[in-house]
Amino acid sequence: MTTDWHSTACILCSENCGIEVRLDGGRFAAIRGDEAHPHSKGYLCQKAARLDAYQNHADRLRNPLQRQPDGTFEPVDWDAAIAHIASRLKFLRDTHGGRSIAYYGGGGQGNHLGGVYSSALRSALDTPYIYTALAQEKTGDFWVNGRLFGKQTCHVSADIEHAQVVVFLGTNPWQSHGFPRARKQLKAIEKDPERTMIVVDPRVTETAKMADLHLQVRPGGDAHLLAGMLAFIVQEGLHDEGFLAERCADVEPVLAALREIDVGYYARRAGVRVAQLREAARIIATADSATVRADLGIQQSPHSTLNSWLEKLLFLLTGNFGRPGGNVFHTYLLPLIGHSPEPGEPGSVLTQVTGMHPISKLYPPNVLPREIDTDHPGRTRALIVDSANPAVSGADTNAWDAALGKLEMLVVIDVAMTETARHAHYVLPAASQFEKAEATFFNLTFPDNPFHLRAPILDPLPGTLPEPEIYRRLCVALGAMPESFPILERVARLDRRARRLRLFPNALKARIAMEPSLAPLASLVLYATLGKALPEGLQSAAVLWTGALRLAEKHPDAVRRAGIEDEGAGLGEALFRRILSSPSGTPMTHHRYEETWSFLRHDDGRIHIAIPELLPELRALADDEPEGRAPFVLMAGERRSYNANTIFRDPSWRKTDPDGALRIHPDDADRLGVTDGDRVRVVTARGEVQATVERFDGLLPGVVSLPHGYGMAHPGEDGERVEVGPRINRLTDVAHCDAITKTPFHKAVPVDVVPV
Ligand SMILES: Nc1nc2c(c(=O)[nH]1)N[C@H]1C(S)=C(S)[C@@H](COP(=O)(O)OP(=O)(O)OC[C@H]3O[C@@H](n4cnc5c(=O)[nH]c(N)nc54)[C@H](O)[C@@H]3O)O[C@H]1N2
Ligand SMILES: Nc1nc2c(c(=O)[nH]1)N[C@H]1C(S)=C(S)[C@@H](COP(=O)(O)OP(=O)(O)OC[C@H]3O[C@@H](n4cnc5c(=O)[nH]c(N)nc54)[C@H](O)[C@@H]3O)O[C@H]1N2
Ligand code: SF4
Ligand SMILES: [Mo]
């Protein structure tokens, strides 16, 4: 065992807390929080201790695999696999057009560095289609941001640390986190008599138990609740007229719609007492500062996109934006998302079968099974999946299984043999996130925003490759780029030796001017040139250079305030060097609050409060009926102590809840004649799963809950693969989703529960 501690990060949720690992051969002998990490400062939750179950388990991939006619997989060498995949994709592109090919994923909770290079592959394949999990949860939020602030990249986060009042809307940060050192911050708010926590959740969650005020909304009732709160604020004159006049446009249509609302009726429809609704609204509107943090509870439930708008109106109408303890914009080194024009505007490419438009450049997983499983000549015929497992995580497993089976070419790039990989023609083994350079782009904080480039702490498992190298080889085999760039490589090495990139930028420009088809592949050109001149193991960091230059150019003062010093273009270089030499991460920007206004992208510099497409849906709430009565409403996908998306596949990592229990109200359990440990069938029109009962009095009667992150198959002791826990998307239906974004309504699935 080595006694050295190696700096890296936990990869199990968007926080990517800094960790230090002590190794014993290839195993993680000990893990502790990294005090030097600018974001997490030593903080960890219980899941990080189990990371060895990600790094070392029976289903790690060690070879490219090719599916045989009988459905088994045989190892093939990398060159043969790359050559065959490229020739097949080239054939499909040249015969049916690039739009017959789609890409899915590109990064999970912490591995976003490789995905950046995938844009080069998409460009070589001539496809605009990128599907990701983000487009089944956050695109409603992004779309609303585009309307309010001018661009879908104007992402908003919550300044929880400095807020007097914090509102958690459909999120349980005690389990899911979603902001730095979540449990510590929750405890600090709970203890402080000057601060108030408001939780909106149909369930008595760990977070709700700490709240000053818990609004136990009925599932799917948030649009009524939020509209009711906003209406109360406007009708009582508690909205911030000064802020609206100074900073906003199109205010009147929104105020007019809110003035019409019967607050008492909306409270009843939401399932909360009107006095409680009023109290919550009054606290938010009269606080020194208030911030709203929302997540899946309002995003993956009925009225998803409308909910995202109303959620933002809550902090906008009360003036809690762009100031300490409110909601704020933030910087990024490289953006996770882009901006898509509206359907019909130039540059918007619809999907060919369902006619779906992109939001933030992303296409929603909910339409993909229908894009594949059809005779339509424009159907998707080939799919490349990287870092995702839609056969488990996509809504409607039956639809996915059928669609994946129809593809003419499915390539899965993963560290493990997944349920999606089982359908693949080729499975390509990636080095794990501890065996290559990695980074998260989930850096969403303001006024301080850090960045953490992680160096590999282990050699790649023999037979595996990092994703940028896989993409480079595919692009070379497709004939889209040369195998090497000898001159650029030499220039990069010389420059790096002189510690400053003097000649390289112009040499790169000249090379691309000579061969303009390389421009969209610039990330891979950087990888193949500058990357080789970077310190050992950090080749994939090459693309961060452009991010650092751009960030320093856009926000020079904020970069300097983060402690990075140099002049002109040198500032970006200095930031890049700082990133390369900070194993525990580094601050990258420090802003002043008044500077948030410079992030706004509307030409008039104002927030455009009204969203014409959503006003009718807001008005229609007045006579909107709850969805049809099934015996139960299932919240399909709770975050608990021992789930972490589908990242951990080996079930031995769990200390509790080994098979992902169905939580059910005791009265309902009694009525069904079941008790703790009994097995039940959960049934919908799309399928069924079995689950173990856990009586849970924190649920409303008639509402049941199953966890996310179960149902993956893992080899048992006899080598036989066994599915562990409920594979909940057997129950969900691709069609049960938001009209604008196609985000699934996972939090309100009508089900029946039947004793076994
Ligand atoms: N432990 C753990 N943490 C995780 C993950 C994980 O798998 N495990 N996954 C990560 C990912 S990818 C994400 S996106 C986040 C998600 O993080 P969260 O959104 O916080 O997690 P969930 O538990 O899915 O849902 C949050 C809450 O919504 C409530 N809810 C259900 N229906 C409704 C409703 O109609 N209205 C309201 N207001 N609330 C409702 C649920 O009771 C639940 O407490 O978590 C991240 N963190
Ligand atoms: N019913 C229901 N469905 C849901 C949810 C829900 O609440 N309810 N939650 C949804 C949400 S919010 C999300 S974000 C999605 C998440 O679902 P997905 O987008 O499918 O992502 P993950 O489950 O994180 O899967 C990550 C995959 O990446 C692989 N991986 C890990 N490290 C690496 C690496 O370094 N390289 C490569 N190439 N692969 C790697 C893992 O082995 C795993 O197969 O699930 C969604 N599905
Ligand atoms: S799961 Fe999330 S909060 Fe917990 S240690 Fe890992 S990154 Fe941090
Ligand atoms: Mo997510």
Side-chain angles (χ1 to χ4, degrees), residues 109 136-137 296 639 645:
Q109 293 296 293
Q136 46 83 77
E137 50 170 318
L296 301 183
R639 269 66 185 166
N645 288 0

Side-chain angles (χ1 to χ4, degrees), residues 10-17 43-48 177:
C10 174
I11 57 158
L12 297 171
C13 85
S14 60
E15 283 318 301
N16 287 256
C17 298
Y43 175 91
L44 291 183
C45 78
Q46 76 289 347
K47 294 193 290 300
H177 290 81

Side-chain angles (χ1 to χ4, degrees), residues 423-438:
H423 291 276
H425 299 90
Y426 282 94
V427 186
L428 301 180
S432 86
Q433 293 177 55
F434 300 105
E435 299 165 349
K436 65 189 173 208
E438 261 307 349

